[in-house]
Amino acid sequence: MSWNPAIEPQCPEAGSVDSIETMMVPRARDIGGFEVRRALPSPRRQMVGPFIFFDQMGPAEFLTNEGIDVRPHPHIGLATVTYLYEGEFQHRDSLGTNQMIYPGEVNWMIAGNGVTHSERTSQATRAGENKLFGIQTWVALPENAEETDAGFEHHGQDALPFLEGEGKKVRLIIGNAWGERAPTKSFSDMFYADVVLGAGATIPLPDEHEDRGLYITGGSIEVAGERFDEGRMMVFRPGDAITVKAGPQGARLMMLGGETLNGPRYIWWNFVASSEERIEQAKADWRAGKWQDGRFSLPPDDQDEFIPLPDILPNERLKSG
């Protein structure tokens, strides 16, 4: 779509610095030789809408025969969202999915009652030098969907709504915003979009969602005349009209948000749930390792190794909002 009036701000100076409810600076984490920057959950904010986990992967460069190897591991109570700016990798899961993902596409895996997956640089990609840069998020499922069956969707660039206005390019990955709706299945009201802004370009945040935030992956932005550089996540007060303006080098953002859940969520390792009991049962099920007849099984074509249940996490306490 070449132009959409809904992404043209009606009030270029809308919003104020007071409209920023929370500001987060991501923490660097090592996930086995590969560093990520984690913005959610944070001590200041557990979720933005249903988004409960937000990692920036890279940018990273790998030599020939190198790449990422995230061994098979389990999830419950959430859906994972993978979106790349640069590079590629291979997703395999216990449903039998074997899917490469490339920039501008989305992998959406619904964990529900339980799923196992791995993420690796493919052998073909390792044949030469390769790069990786992208975002991975988790969406906490509402209580009525926590025990749903696991599922997986992949949507290519052409399937995702793409909007353009003066100096802006927007790809809607999940949910509804600016009068468009993505094909990705969702269980609650939400939006998630990749936004590229040229120097000085402006865009309004969708105003129909309860909770709204953004993460700056490149360049800088201005809100009410104040500048914010890359590597920042900010959450805005509900109901305020917000317009974002790109800095002199332009900007790239992930905009996200939606309906808040009916209560906080507990998080332990890769498990998210509305109750501690669900977490404890998932821990027991993964520890048992009954791949043939238990809750969890390994991906059919990636069964040689898996990540064992941690004995102790850095923060062992179950976390809720």
Side-chain angles (χ1 to χ4, degrees):
M1 182 175 295
S2 61
W3 181 76
N4 184 323
I7 63 172
E8 297 297 338
Q10 300 301 308
C11 181
E13 298 302 323
S16 70
V17 175
D18 290 341
S19 295
I20 301 173
E21 180 185 281
T22 312
M23 178 83 68
M24 288 91 79
V25 178
R27 310 172 308 284
R29 298 287 183 93
D30 187 281
I31 56 170
F34 180 68
E35 187 175 271
V36 300
R37 300 172 70 182
R38 183 158 300 164
L40 290 175
S42 81
R44 303 189 66 188
R45 184 93 182 201
Q46 187 190 45
M47 289 183 279
V48 180
F51 291 86
I52 196 168
F53 176 98
F54 190 103
D55 266 4
Q56 174 182 320
M57 306 179 293
E61 297 186 8
F62 300 101
L63 299 176
T64 300
N65 297 321
E66 292 184 352
I68 64 167
D69 277 297
V70 182
R71 295 168 291 161
H73 57 279
H75 290 288
I76 66 163
L78 56 88
T80 64
V81 191
T82 305
Y83 186 83
L84 300 182
Y85 297 146
E86 190 174 26
E88 59 195 58
F89 65 76
Q90 184 177 21
H91 164 100
R92 290 180 283 192
D93 63 38
S94 52
L95 300 169
T97 307
N98 188 334
Q99 177 68 56
M100 291 294 297
I101 183 171
Y102 301 96
E105 304 178 345
V106 59
N107 276 0
W108 170 252
M109 185 183 71
I110 302 164
N113 183 53
V115 74
T116 305
H117 75 133
S118 65
E119 294 161 312
R120 302 181 187 267
T121 303
S122 70
Q123 291 303 312
T125 306
R126 292 174 194 266
E129 296 181 359
N130 60 95
K131 299 180 180 181
L132 186 65
F133 185 21
I135 304 292
Q136 189 164 80
T137 66
W138 297 353
V139 174
L141 299 177
E143 283 189 52
N144 62 5
E146 284 185 295
E147 296 296 327
T148 194
D149 292 338
F152 179 85
E153 296 180 24
H154 172 86
H155 297 286
Q157 287 192 31
D158 293 344
L160 301 176
F162 185 73
L163 313 175
E164 289 186 88
E166 293 184 1
K168 59 184 72 66
K169 297 179 180 180
V170 180
R171 178 168 282 113
L172 186 60
I173 303 166
I174 303 173
N176 62 287
W178 302 290
E180 298 292 331
R181 179 174 290 278
T184 320
K185 180 180 181 180
S186 57
F187 293 86
S188 59
D189 184 53
M190 62 194 305
F191 76 100
Y192 187 46
D194 173 20
V195 178
V196 179
L197 301 175
T202 58
I203 186 170
L205 262 75
D207 59 8
E208 68 268 34
H209 294 281
E210 179 182 2
D211 221 11
R212 299 165 301 157
L214 61 82
Y215 180 80
I216 310 166
T217 57
S220 64
I221 63 169
E222 292 180 8
V223 177
E226 185 162 335
R227 174 173 167 159
F228 302 94
D229 293 322
E230 66 181 68
R232 300 289 186 273
M233 174 173 279
M234 54 187 71
V235 184
F236 299 92
R237 292 190 317 194
D240 285 7
I242 303 295
T243 293
V244 173
K245 180 180 180 180
Q249 304 302 318
R252 191 164 196 174
L253 321 169
M254 299 301 282
M255 290 188 170
L256 69 160
E259 178 184 4
T260 57
L261 300 182
N262 65 342
R265 289 296 184 268
Y266 293 92
I267 308 172
W268 191 89
W269 194 37
N270 301 309
F271 304 138
V272 172
S274 59
S275 71
E276 294 184 60
E277 290 75 19
R278 280 192 168 107
I279 298 280
E280 292 302 321
Q281 186 60 58
K283 290 164 67 174
D285 292 342
W286 184 251
R287 185 184 289 113
K290 297 180 178 180
W291 311 130
Q292 302 304 318
D293 55 6
R295 184 206 301 214
F296 297 110
S297 59
L298 298 178
D301 48 0
D302 195 354
Q303 298 188 336
D304 293 338
E305 56 181 354
F306 62 89
I307 301 177
L309 190 80
D311 292 327
I312 298 176
L313 290 177
N315 185 356
E316 174 71 25
R317 182 178 62 86
L318 283 173
K319 291 184 270 186
S320 73

